[in-house]
Amino acid sequence: GENVEQHPSTLSVQEGDSAVIKCTYSDSASNYFPWYKQELGKRPQLIIDIRSNVGEKKDQRIAVTLNKTAKHFSLHITETQPEDSAVYFCAASISGNTPLVFGKGTRLSVIA
Amino acid sequence: KAGVTQTPRYLIKTRGQQVTLSCSPISGHRSVSWYQQTPGQGLQFLFEYFSETQRNKGNFPGRFSGRQFSNSRSEMNVSTLELGDSALYLCASRGGVSTGYTFGSGTRLTVV
């Protein structure tokens, strides 16, 4: 089955800097890659997703890139703010057929 | 539009007891998935239901079971509780194969 590895497990950045979180997946058939943000004591919330027919997607300060050949995808957050501090999870699935398999998460701390 | 509703929010049970958790998906969503979240293992898939049928099942013992009703509400049951079952149990729903999952706030189960 699918296996998703996520790095780093913790990340500290200065406010205004960029943050990058990387994930690799094992199943070449996976074609849907969402990212979730979970603030302390709250539910995971979908912040951006990408499908295998595109290589990059942006939404304001957040972008995700996908390299199907290498089977890895990354989350990029620019101009980080203290409210970006949270745990971020990547996931992969074969859309419509298999459940989301999550990485172990990255705890991002943005230092003001 | 109401989100995914999980009840109860908190539960404390004794080893050996059984517990039932409830999830009401977003109106119109027919797919409901359950995840167990623990600090060490992250988000682990339990099962997925669609139109009252279990479509996928994760690698959990038979003590973990679930069902879905005709109104798409879902329940999961854990029998013979063990200390290691202490976790946040998250339910997620989606409206179609091309849409993302929306998570509920979870039920925090503590087994003592």
Side-chain angles (χ1 to χ4, degrees), chain B residues 28-80:
Chain B
H29 286 193
R30 293 194 291 166
S31 170
V32 174
S33 296
W34 288 89
Y35 284 83
Q36 181 194 66
Q37 186 175 27
T38 57
Q41 295 300 315
L43 286 142
Q44 302 269 297
F45 172 72
L46 283 154
F47 21 68
E48 179 187 11
Y49 288 88
F50 180 81
S51 293
E52 302 179 67
T53 301
Q54 187 180 88
R55 290 213 302 190
N56 289 293
K57 189 177 190 303
N59 295 322
F60 278 81
R63 300 185 296 108
F64 292 80
S65 63
R67 59 178 175 170
Q68 187 180 33
F69 302 95
S70 58
N71 62 356
S72 294
R73 189 178 71 85
S74 177
E75 288 182 347
M76 66 164 281
N77 184 79
V78 188
S79 62
T80 320

Side-chain angles (χ1 to χ4, degrees), chain A residues 32 36 38 41-46 49 51 89 93 95-104, chain B residues 9 35 37 40-45 55-56 88 90 94 97-105:
Chain A
Y32 176 63
Y36 284 82
Q38 187 175 29
K42 297 192 175 180
R43 65 187 178 93
Q45 289 194 289
L46 178 68
D49 57 13
R51 299 182 189 277
F89 293 94
S93 76
S95 182
N97 289 319
T98 64
L100 287 177
V101 176
F102 286 85
K104 292 267 196 284
Chain B
R9 288 296 307 276
Y35 284 83
Q37 186 175 27
Q41 295 300 315
L43 286 142
Q44 302 269 297
F45 172 72
R55 290 213 302 190
N56 289 293
L88 179 66
L90 291 162
R94 59 175 174 159
V97 298
S98 298
T99 62
Y101 289 78
T102 300
F103 280 89
S105 296

Side-chain angles (χ1 to χ4, degrees), chain A residues 1-20:
Chain A
E2 177 64 275
N3 183 52
V4 177
E5 300 282 339
Q6 183 172 347
H7 299 280
S9 57
T10 60
L11 178 61
S12 291
V13 299
Q14 293 289 328
E15 183 178 359
D17 287 350
S18 295
V20 180

Side-chain angles (χ1 to χ4, degrees), chain A residues 73-89:
Chain A
F73 57 113
S74 301
L75 178 70
H76 304 252
I77 305 174
T78 59
E79 300 172 14
T80 54
Q81 301 166 4
E83 51 265 38
D84 294 329
S85 295
V87 178
Y88 291 81
F89 293 94

